[in-house]
Amino acid sequence: LWIYLRANEGNEALLGADLEAARVIYQEILDQLIALNDCSVNDRIAVIYHQLGMVAQEKPQLEVAQQHYLKALKIFEDAGDLYSTARGYHQLGIVAYKQRQFEVAQQYYLKALKIREDTGDLYNAAGDYNQLGMVAQEKRQFGVAQQYYLKALKIFEDAGDLYSTAIGYHNLGWIAQEQQQCEPARQYYLKALKIFEDAGNSHSAARECHHLGNVALLQRQFEVAQQYYFKALKIYEDAG
């Protein structure tokens, strides 16, 4: 019970971005679990290693995060816990991506994706598709990125996840813009903007307005660009 309560405190600290408090709590729990010298608590040890990885990733101490995730992954793999193993691969992919190790990130995401596809975990597979799209985009493989983003978008739309759907539209708009495909880019950004405005997500709406301004500039529609930039600026100013 003590471990459960302390873990909740650690989770709350992590969610509240009190990273050092979260680290201290998780480390305290880890020390206690390891001191038990009982293999029956290995699953809990793996979870705490994973959470310590999340804390280090946010700091960001990426090498430390990687080591924690690897320790958790080893336990998850040995236990045959496919769900947690896939999550571990995904997080290791994020760390590698942040380190701009795109080939390494791609391999981790593909491992996570394989597990999730095999187990029918389509919603989380969409997260892997999205991250693989980001990797492909960084590698300037725009056609590959587009295909991954479209797969993710379909799953998010079917799940009714409006926020992730809007992110999917944004990513597809970005891909189109990178290729100077202004009209498809504009349409995708407008779809994202509509969702964010309806949800009252002013920060994301301002971002879409900024990108719509960039597209209008590419189209040499200077008045339109100016209007979008002013709209974005007003949202930022109103938000403080």
Side-chain angles (χ1 to χ4, degrees):
L1 179 61
W2 171 85
I3 289 174
Y4 175 79
L5 293 174
R6 288 295 279 163
N8 279 343
E9 290 175 14
N11 295 342
E12 288 174 8
L14 177 57
L15 288 172
D18 190 348
L19 299 179
E20 185 54 25
R23 187 196 68 77
V24 169
I25 292 169
Y26 289 139
Q27 189 62 54
E28 178 186 348
I29 297 170
L30 181 63
D31 291 343
Q32 291 283 341
L33 288 171
I34 290 174
L36 292 174
N37 195 26
D38 181 355
C39 64
S40 71
V41 298
N42 278 356
D43 58 334
R44 296 184 189 180
I45 289 173
V47 169
I48 297 302
Y49 274 133
H50 186 89
Q51 293 304 104
L52 282 166
M54 298 282 283
V55 171
Q57 180 181 318
E58 291 300 316
K59 281 199 166 185
Q61 297 171 343
L62 298 179
E63 291 290 336
V64 175
Q66 181 186 52
Q67 292 306 309
H68 285 312
Y69 286 143
L70 286 170
K71 287 177 181 178
L73 180 64
K74 177 69 166 62
I75 297 171
F76 291 140
E77 287 180 325
D78 288 348
D81 182 345
L82 293 177
Y83 178 86
S84 298
T85 295
R87 186 178 58 169
Y89 283 139
H90 184 89
Q91 291 304 128
L92 282 162
I94 290 175
V95 169
Y97 180 87
K98 287 177 178 289
Q99 293 171 315
R100 303 191 64 78
Q101 298 175 357
F102 299 126
E103 291 296 332
V104 175
Q106 182 182 49
Q107 291 308 308
Y108 278 129
Y109 291 140
L110 286 171
K111 286 182 177 181
L113 179 62
K114 177 72 165 60
I115 293 172
R116 286 164 170 169
E117 286 182 332
D118 288 349
T119 58
D121 185 4
L122 292 181
Y123 184 79
N124 282 314
D128 297 316
Y129 286 135
N130 190 66
Q131 294 301 118
L132 284 163
M134 291 173 64
V135 169
Q137 188 168 345
E138 287 286 349
K139 294 163 72 175
R140 314 285 298 174
Q141 298 173 345
F142 297 126
V144 175
Q146 183 183 50
Q147 290 307 307
Y148 279 129
Y149 286 146
L150 285 169
K151 286 182 178 181
L153 178 64
K154 176 69 166 61
I155 294 170
F156 290 138
E157 285 179 328
D158 289 348
D161 183 343
L162 290 179
Y163 179 80
S164 296
T165 295
I167 294 297
Y169 286 138
H170 173 85
N171 288 339
L172 286 163
W174 192 8
I175 284 289
Q177 183 183 332
E178 289 264 24
Q179 298 175 91
Q180 307 289 305
Q181 298 172 354
C182 293
E183 189 53 29
R186 188 177 76 89
Q187 292 300 322
Y188 280 127
Y189 287 143
L190 283 171
K191 287 181 178 181
L193 177 62
K194 175 72 165 59
I195 293 173
F196 287 135
E197 285 183 332
D198 288 349
N201 188 332
S202 58
H203 179 80
S204 294
R207 181 188 61 194
E208 300 311 315
C209 287
H210 183 84
H211 280 280
L212 282 161
N214 291 344
V215 170
L217 272 185
L218 288 173
Q219 295 175 307
R220 302 187 67 78
Q221 298 176 353
F222 301 118
E223 291 293 329
V224 175
Q226 186 180 52
Q227 289 171 8
Y228 277 123
Y229 290 141
F230 275 134
K231 185 175 180 179
L233 181 62
K234 185 174 189 308
I235 294 172
Y236 285 131
E237 287 177 342
D238 290 348

